[in-house]
Every structure is written in C-alpha cells, then in structure tokens.
Amino acid sequence: MATGTKEIETRKKTVTWPQWIGGIGVGFLLMQLGLLAGWSSPYIEQLLTGKSIMLITTQEASLIVSLLNLGRIFGAFVGVILVNIFGSRKSILICSIPLSFCWIFTIIADRIFWLYLGRICGGISMGISYCCFSLYIGEIADSNIRGALVTIGMVGISCGTLFIFLMAYYLSLRISAVVNLIFNIILMILFIWLPDTPHHLVKNDQDEQAKKSILWYHRNASVDLELSNLKNFVDQCNESTFASLKRFKIPQIRKAMIITIMLFFYLQMCGLNTILFYMETIIKSAQVDLIEPSFIVIIVTLFGIMASLISMTLIDRFGRKILMCCSIAMIVIALFGLGTHYQLLEMNVDPKMIQWLPIVSIILFETAAFGGLLPVPSAIVGEIFPPNVKCVAASISSIFASVFALVAAGTYQILVDLITKKYIFWMYSIILITAIPVTIIFLPETKGKTLQEIQDQLMSGKSKEVENINERNETSRF
C-alpha cells in the first residue's frame, strides 16, 4: 500500500464548528439510546405494580428487557448492509425509523404485544446505531477533536438515561413516549439537513458532492488537495464487502478486530447494563434508606453526565490507553465495594453503618464507566480500521456487543439465585481486571493521529508484506 496519502491537518485556521454540529447530532442519537436503555427501570416497576397502562408478570417484564437486546442483534446485521449501501449519515437517518415505531407502539399499547413489538423496534435501531455513529464521527472529524466528538455521544446516553428517570417521576408511560417521539423527529430533521460524509461520496464517485461536503465539514480546507488525498486513501482500500471479509486474514486487521471485540466484551461483562437496568433494585436490596433510592439513581446519572463531559477533554489529552486503564481500575474498586457490602450484610453488620458504601460504589462505577470504558471502544472502532473493512468491523463489533449485552443482562437474575449478589459483583471485578494488561499490551494509541497514519501504523511490517503478497497473487491471475 502507498503511504504518501494523508489527511490535511495543517490549515491556516481550523474551523471545526460544523463537525461539532455533526457530533451533537450523534449525541442526540445516543440520547435516544439512553432513553431506550433507561426506560425499563422505572416503567417496568410501574407495570409490575399495576400503576401504569396494564399489569404484567415478572416473566413478561423479563421478556420486555430481553427483547431490546434481541432486536439489537438483528439491527447489527442490518447495519452492515445499510452502511455499505447508504453510508453512515443515511444509516443514522434510517435507524431513526424503527425508533419512531418503538415510541408509537408504546403510545398505542393496550396489551403486552405492543410493548414487545416496540422494544424489538428499539433494539433494531440500537443495533444499527452502534454500526454507524462511530464511523460517521471518524469520517467527518479532524484528528484533534475526534475523540471529543465520540464522547459527546456518551454524554447523550447519560442525558437520555437521566431524562427518562425524570419523566417517569412526572409523566405517564404514554406521555413520556410522546416526548421521546418528538426528540426522535428532531433527530431525523437534523440528519436530513446534514450532508453525507466525504468518504462515502468519494467511494461512490460523487466528486462534486464530495467537494461540497468537504467545504461544509472543513470550511477552509484546500478542497482540491484534500479531495485528491481522500480519493487516493479510499481507492487504496475500496472493495466489496465480501472482499473486505478476506482482509481479516491479514494479521494486523485480524488483531485489531480481536482487540475491538475484547473491548466490547469488557464493556458489557463488567455489569454496565445490569446496574443500569436494576440500579434501583440493587440500592433497595442493599438496605439503603439514608436517601430515597429513586433520588440516588438521579444523582448517579448526573455523575455519569459530568464524567462524560470531562472525558471529552481527557480522551484527546491523555490518550485512549491511560483513560481506559484508569477507568477500569476505578470500576474494579466499585464492583469490589458492592460485593463487600453484601458480604457485610450477611455478617449481620448494621446496614445504617455501611449504607454509604453502595452509594459511593455505584457513583464511582457510573463515573468511571462513562468517563472511559464506554467512550474508548466506540472511538477505537472508527479509528483503527481502514475504510474497506471499517463498516464490516463496526457491524461485527455491534453484533458481539449485542450478544454480550444479552448474556450479561439475561444471566443476572439467574446468577442472583445461584450465587447471590456479592459473588456476581466480585465475578464482574475479576473479569474486568484482566482488561488492564490487555489494554496496555494490545490497544494501539490513536491520540492525535490521522486515519491514514493509524492505518500506516497498523499495516506496517508483517501485515503489509502479507497484503503485498495477496495483491501480487491477485494480479498474476489476469
């Protein structure tokens, strides 16, 4: 592969506000995912107690939670097709369609079937979203703000979770669904207005549109020079999806895929969804009465928002590795603290003396997760893969993340019955502590590097030789 093509970074004055608009749009998208993920905690409690539109059983409640992740798996498969055909911007727009149906079905629900259907639609949207949002950011953002724009999405998730908790306190299930539908319509309008990414337009030989897109996202760019560099960069890697799958035979690309899957494994198996879905239940079972559990949930979510905002500067200042390792260490401490609390309760320690422990542990968990463990994998997906495999890699990552999320959330209650809560949280901490050496040894540092520089680093050495051999073999056939 040629190594002379690079993204233009040295401009007289860097204008980034259009890229921030795109990043805010992604944040608005992921706010919807936060609304989806947080919805089950307050409203299922209302449905179980008959305080909402219908009375459901515990088994029906468990199915409502599981269907979101089942739909997410299907959405991840659909996402790879959409991104390859329509690009990341249109894929975000398309994923808002099943999301609209999710809230519409919730509004009209008069029996459990509509809630099931709504959660499946929401899961499909979630699966597609995780295939395309990091690609969109990676294709529009300058290298010095790319990590910050990804973390805007994490802020969106936290804000969405907070909003749904607040809405559940003041609004009925149907009214909150109406509000969520309005948010989704605003999202659709924004991405109808935004242009496609230059990468997608160049890939589809729409050079004139690509020039307009470059001028929109990079206002004072040298358009002809940047378009030429971008065309060379994309042409080097432009191939079919089937051919892209063959590229995973290249050692470095295969290694990058394994690293990405491992990051999402740790993200899901640390108990993130478990604590999000069952946070209020966990607090109540910890015998906390110093503060109302529902109020603690809101406080915890606020800490998550603050952590996401702080990580916007930290991720591009200190890099992905340091942020990831610090986040993991804090989460391990938090999980160990939760497990220790339940152990102390079993030892008949006065709950009033130790009820500070679960509060501090959950706040620490939320802060650390949204400050590092959540944004880093999403940022990495958009950075370490070349264009010809990036869409496939993002979809594979989304599929694995969906499966891990389903396993983690689906096995929680089973494990509670088998081994009790203390061993679950200790198990999560033991699993997660292995992520530190994996991060230090294998995770490439992408801070401040252009997409081309990252590919040059990944494709150097042995993998580059393998690719050259493959290219020579393909040439010799003709």
Side-chain angles (χ1 to χ4, degrees):
M1 288 180 64
T3 59
T5 57
K6 294 187 178 182
E7 295 179 22
I8 303 301
E9 291 186 294
T10 54
R11 301 177 182 138
K12 293 180 180 180
K13 287 185 180 180
T14 303
V15 178
T16 59
W17 64 262
Q19 301 167 37
W20 282 98
I21 291 177
I24 291 170
V26 168
F28 215 67
L29 167 68
L30 295 192
M31 186 187 79
Q32 289 284 319
L33 303 190
L35 292 169
L36 276 172
W39 181 92
S40 60
S41 179
Y43 284 111
I44 282 183
E45 180 66 22
Q46 294 181 16
L47 293 167
L48 284 169
T49 55
K51 297 178 180 179
S52 189
I53 56 177
M54 67 186 75
L55 179 65
I56 65 173
T57 65
T58 304
Q59 291 76 19
E60 288 170 335
S62 178
L63 188 56
I64 288 173
V65 172
S66 299
L67 286 175
L68 182 69
N69 286 319
L70 287 174
R72 181 178 173 182
I73 295 173
F74 178 75
F77 282 103
V78 174
V80 65
I81 300 172
L82 294 178
V83 172
N84 274 283
I85 296 175
F86 299 107
S88 55
R89 196 273 303 183
K90 287 191 180 75
S91 296
I92 292 175
L93 183 59
I94 292 170
C95 83
S96 64
I97 297 174
L99 193 55
S100 295
F101 281 107
C102 168
W103 301 126
I104 290 171
F105 291 147
T106 304
I107 293 168
I108 67 174
D110 56 359
R111 51 198 175 99
I112 194 69
F113 167 78
W114 294 112
L115 293 180
Y116 289 159
L117 197 57
R119 296 302 279 177
I120 291 173
C121 289
I124 292 171
S125 179
M126 183 177 287
I128 298 172
S129 298
Y130 280 113
C131 287
C132 58
F133 88 86
S134 61
L135 299 182
Y136 175 76
I137 293 297
E139 291 173 355
I140 69 165
D142 289 340
S143 59
N144 61 321
I145 64 168
R146 193 167 55 234
L149 294 186
V150 170
T151 57
I152 285 181
M154 304 306 107
V155 176
I157 293 177
S158 299
C159 289
T161 305
L162 176 61
F163 290 162
I164 200 65
F165 289 149
L166 291 173
M167 281 192 284
Y169 189 80
Y170 293 104
L171 302 177
S172 68
L173 184 146
R174 285 197 173 100
I175 297 301
S176 69
V178 171
V179 175
N180 295 338
L181 180 60
I182 293 172
F183 284 148
N184 193 55
I185 292 171
I186 295 172
L187 171 70
M188 296 174 73
I189 293 172
L190 177 60
F191 276 93
I192 288 172
W193 172 66
L194 287 170
D196 282 315
T197 67
H199 286 71
H200 172 69
L201 295 169
V202 168
K203 182 180 176 182
N204 288 275
D205 298 321
Q206 297 177 279
D207 290 358
E208 290 303 316
Q209 293 298 318
K211 288 182 180 181
K212 294 178 181 179
S213 179
I214 290 171
L215 277 176
W216 200 94
Y217 288 111
H218 310 277
R219 289 301 167 108
N220 55 351
S222 177
V223 177
D224 291 333
L225 182 58
E226 185 148 342
L227 179 63
S228 175
N229 283 313
L230 185 57
K231 288 181 69 174
N232 290 334
F233 179 54
V234 172
D235 287 344
Q236 289 172 11
C237 305
N238 194 19
E239 57 192 9
S240 67
T241 301
F242 180 76
S244 297
L245 291 172
K246 293 183 178 180
R247 292 292 178 181
F248 286 91
K249 295 180 180 179
I250 299 173
Q252 289 301 102
I253 294 181
R254 185 169 64 246
K255 177 182 175 182
M257 190 72 257
I258 294 172
I259 292 171
T260 304
I261 291 172
M262 288 300 296
L263 290 178
F264 281 101
F265 169 80
Y266 289 123
L267 172 61
Q268 298 297 336
M269 299 307 292
C270 73
L272 179 65
N273 281 336
T274 298
I275 292 179
L276 179 62
F277 293 158
Y278 297 98
M279 189 182 301
E280 191 165 339
T281 303
I282 291 171
I283 294 170
K284 288 181 178 178
S285 66
Q287 301 183 34
V288 174
D289 57 11
L290 179 65
I291 306 174
E292 180 68 27
S294 58
F295 187 65
I296 294 175
V297 170
I298 294 174
I299 294 174
V300 170
T301 308
L302 287 172
F303 271 91
I305 294 173
M306 289 188 291
S308 298
L309 290 170
I310 294 172
S311 69
M312 289 173 59
T313 58
L314 297 181
I315 194 170
D316 284 319
R317 178 172 297 181
F318 297 103
R320 283 59 165 160
K321 278 193 174 186
I322 293 178
L323 190 62
M324 188 76 170
C325 289
C326 291
S327 172
I328 291 169
M330 292 170 65
I331 293 172
V332 169
I333 294 171
L335 291 169
F336 187 80
L338 277 174
T340 301
H341 177 80
Y342 286 104
Q343 173 64 36
L344 292 174
L345 290 179
E346 290 184 11
M347 296 170 61
N348 296 321
V349 175
D350 184 1
K352 294 186 181 299
M353 295 178 59
I354 58 171
Q355 59 181 314
W356 60 270
L357 183 56
I359 297 174
V360 172
S361 296
I362 292 178
I363 289 175
L364 181 62
F365 180 95
E366 185 89 356
T367 302
F370 281 87
L373 186 60
L374 196 57
V376 169
S378 297
I380 290 296
V381 169
E383 294 175 332
I384 67 173
F385 294 101
N388 60 320
V389 300
K390 188 180 292 185
C391 296
V392 176
S395 299
I396 292 173
S397 300
S398 182
I399 292 168
F400 273 95
S402 303
V403 173
F404 296 146
L406 180 62
V407 171
T411 58
Y412 174 72
Q413 192 58 51
I414 298 173
L415 291 175
V416 167
D417 297 334
L418 288 176
I419 61 176
T420 72
K421 288 185 175 69
K422 66 176 182 180
Y423 289 114
I424 293 176
F425 292 122
W426 285 342
M427 180 186 70
Y428 288 157
S429 65
I430 292 171
I431 291 173
L432 191 57
I433 202 169
T434 63
I436 295 178
V438 170
T439 299
I440 294 173
I441 297 171
F442 299 110
L443 182 65
E445 182 54 72
T446 58
K447 181 189 73 170
K449 296 180 180 178
T450 67
L451 298 182
Q452 180 64 61
E453 288 170 341
I454 295 168
Q455 300 318 311
D456 289 343
Q457 176 186 348
L458 288 170
M459 298 304 296
S460 63
K462 182 178 177 180
S463 64
K464 195 171 182 179
E465 294 173 5
V466 172
E467 186 177 50
N468 289 336
I469 292 172
N470 291 338
E471 289 176 351
R472 288 196 296 271
N473 289 339
E474 291 174 2
T475 303
S476 65
R477 296 175 187 173
F478 297 96

